Structure formats: C-alpha cells, structure tokens
Amino acid sequence: MAHKAYGLNELREMFLSFFETKGHLRLPSFSLVPQHDKSILLINAGMTPMKTYFTGEEEPPRRRVCTCQKCIRTADIENIGKTARHGTYFEMLGNFSFGDYFKHEAIAWSWEFLTSPDWVGLEPDRLYPSIYVDDDEAFDIWNKEIGIPAERIFRFGKEDNFWEHGSGPCGPCSEIYYDRGPEYGCGKPGCTVGCDCDRYIEVWNNVFSQFNNDGHGNYTELAQKNIDTGMGLERLACVCQNVDSLFDVDTVMNITHKVSEITGAHYGESHKTDVSLRIITDHIRSATFMIGDGILPSNEGRGYVLRRAARHGKLLGVNDPFLYKVCDTVIHENATAYPDLVEKKEYITRVIRVEEENFGRTIDAGMKIFADMLAAHKEKGETVF
Ligand code: GLY
C-alpha cells in the first residue's frame, strides 16, 4: 500500500481544507431534515440541501462551497447488515460551483486531491475515470489535460453516468474508480471497470449539473452551469485504510467495539452475530444523528432504526437498554466535526434510553401474550399453533 492509511476524521478535514485552498467556503453540514424540499424525507446527498443555489433561485453565500454532509439512505434498509457494504448513515464530501468553475477545474482538482502526495496520494495507476457516453469535452480533459491514456477512460450510459436524485438539478457525470487489485475480482473474463464485483469501486462523482428535472422526466437547461461532486467519506476511508467494508473503518470499528464490549459478541465470529453487530452499529449512528437534528423516534417510522437495533441487541442476549451507551461512543467519535452533538448529548442519550425502555416493555408485553396463548393452546391438547 503506497498511500498513507489516513483516519476518517483526518480525511474529512483534508478534503475541506484542500477546497479552501481553491477558494471554497467551508459550510457546516446541513440538517438531515430537508428544509424546503418535499421530494425527499431525509437528506440523501451533499447537494440536496442546496438545490436552490444550483437553480439560481437563491444566492449562495459564495459561488464556491465545500461541505461534508450527513446523509441517510433507507431504500435498502432490509439488506443492511446482511452485507458488509451497505449502511443507512454515511457522510458525503462535496465541492460545489454555482455558476462559477466547470469541468476543467472540477476534474483537475479531484485528480489532484486523490493523487498528490501532499494530499491523499493514491497511486494514479489504480484510478480510472468514467465519463457520460458522448461527453467528448470530459474525455479531452482527462486525456489531454490530465494525461490519462484513452484506453483507461470508460464511457458509460445514462444508467451509470447521469446523476439525478428525485427532481431538481442534474446532469452527466464523470466518476473515478479505484482498483483494489485482482484478489478482489470475480476472475470472469472481461472483468473491468463497471463490473459488479468488489474489484473496481467508485470513489468520486463529478456531476456537471446543467439541467433541471421537473420530477416528470422533463429536462430543461439551467440558467447557469454548476458543479456538484459527491465522495462517500467512509468509502474513501476504506480505500485509504485498505479495509473491506465501512464497518472496518477506524471510527466505525470503534462503535462496533463498544457494542462488542456490551454484548460480548465479537465481529468475525459468525455470520449471524456479524449481521446483528452491523445493524446495531449502523442504526445507532443514524439514530444519534437523526435525534440530534430533532427527529423523534416516534415520527412516521423514522424510529424504525432504533427499534431494529434494540431487537438485534436482544438477539445478542442483551435485555436491558444499552443503545444509549453506544450513542456515547458515536458522539465521541464525531465530536470534532459535529460539536453540536456534544452539546446535545444529554438530550440525545435520554431520547434513546426512553425509546429503548418503551420498546422493551412492548416486546415483554407481546411475549407475555404469546406465552399465554401458547399455554392455552397446550391445555386444549393442540399440537399445531
Ligand atoms: N451529487 C453527486 C453524488 O451524490 O454523487
């Protein structure tokens, strides 16, 4: 491994300070609760809280902005835990241009940040850009300005290289893939960038945000050309730390360690306990940040993550409330980047504890009903319940 194994907190800071050197204003993460956007329930990408800056409806505080945005995606929630790849909570790094710089600068800076020894210092030979199929301008920038040979630049269609999330600003994009090495590959002939296996993973997405989707698939050209980039912080940390999944990343692993300390279950012992450990680790991260942003567990199913984490605690043999103790570790690991969590620590911990106690009572009451029904059934001499 040629690059340094930077920690997650270090990488966040490096990204934001890199873009400050390029004239960007660093903004704190926006709340997870969308403020004026009815198309989404929770913030799910770095650009979503800033849609009006892209459309020109609102004046941004500066035309160049960078953020590390808290995000939650719940679309795949039932699969979370079953694989080591997915989580509901993640952070997205992004640099944004609102009608200021465009493709040349965005591409050059993403390459500089990832490959310069002064910054992340990944080996350039492990990186492959992709572009939207007919975006010859992006091709020329990668090829002629950055010097990537033509055969290392991949052209993909709308499915892969046109970014949009719900309605609003969108556009063709250019992604950067990292080659983790043949040992992660499927070994099938033709396995290359774009293959579904674990070898080539996308780390950075440069979106050339120049259209508006009205939500019904009608696209109009925006008045200004924008840049919207997204790089999953945990994904970048996986690459830098040379680990397989987000659950092996330093700060996330510390949360899993805390769960292990309380439950006695250790990561890597069995698939079944790993699933529970991953669900608890991921869901307590989501719950801590959601409650910190004022979302109460009882709201419209948003409390599901907490109840699911508590249920997996029970599967690991813990019957007393314990998630509020893990929440402490989540806050500790995020204290420098999210000082507001530290300020609200007592409140967040209390909300989690009350919810765990309520949930525990519901489960106990349910189990009693079940036991009574079973006993009545047996008394009648029935053998099938
Ligand atoms: N908005 C760019 C991304 O999320 O990848």
Side-chain angles (χ1 to χ4, degrees):
M1 192 170 64
H3 54 267
K4 282 200 198 131
Y6 292 110
L8 180 126
N9 284 320
E10 248 177 315
L11 286 167
R12 186 196 297 106
E13 181 52 37
M14 278 166 73
F15 178 89
L16 295 169
S17 39
F18 173 80
F19 279 99
E20 281 179 327
T21 69
K22 307 291 184 195
H24 290 63
L25 174 69
R26 177 197 299 222
L27 292 181
S29 172
F30 290 82
S31 164
L32 281 165
V33 185
Q35 300 301 307
H36 311 286
D37 187 349
K38 292 202 169 58
S39 72
I40 44 172
L41 271 179
L42 291 161
I43 293 299
N44 54 14
M47 66 80 73
T48 43
M50 293 187 278
K51 283 183 182 174
T52 51
Y53 297 161
F54 287 95
T55 56
E57 288 162 82
E58 256 190 297
E59 193 57 35
R62 196 184 290 176
R63 297 214 158 255
R64 299 178 180 194
V65 157
C66 59
T67 60
C68 177
Q69 176 63 45
K70 306 172 259 192
C71 296
I72 291 190
R73 289 187 189 170
T74 52
D76 226 9
I77 193 160
E78 294 308 326
N79 280 325
I80 282 163
K82 291 181 193 157
T83 75
R85 274 196 193 185
H86 299 100
T88 53
Y89 177 80
F90 63 99
E91 290 174 78
M92 190 175 277
L93 302 166
N95 54 291
F96 307 95
S97 154
F98 308 113
D100 187 32
Y101 63 85
F102 201 45
K103 294 185 188 180
H104 292 271
E105 295 86 341
I107 289 177
W109 291 338
S110 58
W111 188 254
E112 183 186 345
F113 181 70
L114 287 182
T115 60
S116 163
D118 295 334
W119 299 96
V120 182
L122 298 179
E123 292 161 78
D125 287 353
R126 284 190 182 250
L127 297 173
Y128 294 83
S130 72
I131 53 167
Y132 184 58
V133 64
D134 60 5
D135 190 350
D136 293 331
E137 189 188 0
F139 178 88
D140 283 346
I141 297 171
W142 280 116
N143 184 237
K144 299 198 174 87
E145 294 177 24
I146 310 290
I148 311 289
E151 66 278 11
R152 291 176 65 90
I153 304 170
F154 287 75
R155 288 179 189 260
F156 294 132
K158 190 162 184 238
E159 185 99 320
D160 295 295
N161 276 59
F162 189 95
W163 195 88
E164 56 190 334
H165 247 218
S167 59
C170 54
C173 58
S174 176
E175 302 190 305
I176 302 177
Y177 285 82
Y178 179 80
D179 178 4
R180 302 173 73 205
E183 63 277 26
Y184 289 98
C186 57
K188 292 186 190 140
C191 169
T192 184
V193 172
C195 182
D196 274 348
C197 74
D198 288 340
R199 177 165 176 180
Y200 300 94
I201 60 167
E202 177 222 318
V203 284
W204 200 331
N205 190 10
N206 276 306
V207 184
F208 311 126
S209 201
Q210 61 204 90
F211 299 107
N212 194 58
N213 178 349
D214 68 358
H216 306 285
N218 303 311
Y219 298 90
T220 46
E221 190 92 31
L222 287 168
Q224 59 190 34
K225 287 194 161 82
N226 309 288
I227 287 295
D228 154 29
T229 81
M231 175 156 62
L233 176 59
E234 291 83 350
R235 180 77 66 89
L236 178 65
C238 281
V239 165
C240 287
Q241 296 173 18
N242 213 23
V243 295
D244 287 348
S245 82
L246 84 104
F247 297 94
D248 298 303
V249 163
D250 58 339
T251 55
V252 185
M253 201 35 140
N254 289 341
I255 299 167
T256 311
H257 282 155
K258 181 72 183 178
V259 182
S260 292
E261 193 187 299
I262 297 172
T263 61
H266 293 280
Y267 199 57
E269 264 170 11
S270 79
H271 178 68
K272 201 160 163 259
T273 52
D274 281 359
V275 170
S276 291
L277 286 170
R278 289 197 284 253
I279 287 176
I280 296 168
T281 301
D282 170 71
H283 288 13
I284 191 65
R285 291 176 84 212
S286 279
T288 303
F289 280 95
M290 281 200 277
I291 296 166
D293 280 344
I295 302 169
L296 286 173
S298 51
N299 279 0
E300 318 146 6
R302 282 163 171 171
Y304 179 65
V305 287
L306 209 50
R307 291 196 289 272
R308 192 159 177 245
R311 187 163 62 79
H312 279 272
K314 284 190 187 288
L315 290 179
L316 295 179
V318 183
N319 285 311
D320 294 328
F322 74 104
L323 291 169
Y324 74 97
K325 296 183 201 158
V326 186
C327 160
D328 232 44
T329 311
V330 177
I331 295 175
H332 177 77
E333 294 297 330
N334 288 284
T336 44
Y338 300 98
D340 60 309
L341 280 186
V342 181
E343 280 161 32
K344 295 177 197 157
K345 182 169 156 178
E346 212 190 299
Y347 166 76
I348 301 173
T349 315
R350 189 156 25 94
V351 170
I352 293 183
R353 188 168 188 167
V354 166
E355 180 64 11
E356 280 189 279
E357 283 166 359
N358 289 345
F359 180 66
R361 274 195 289 274
T362 310
I363 290 277
D364 291 345
M367 289 311 285
K368 177 156 180 355
I369 295 170
F370 178 68
D372 290 350
M373 282 167 81
L374 200 61
H377 220 64
K378 276 195 185 143
E379 222 162 79
K380 282 194 227 147
E382 310 249 3
T383 51
V384 181
F385 186 65

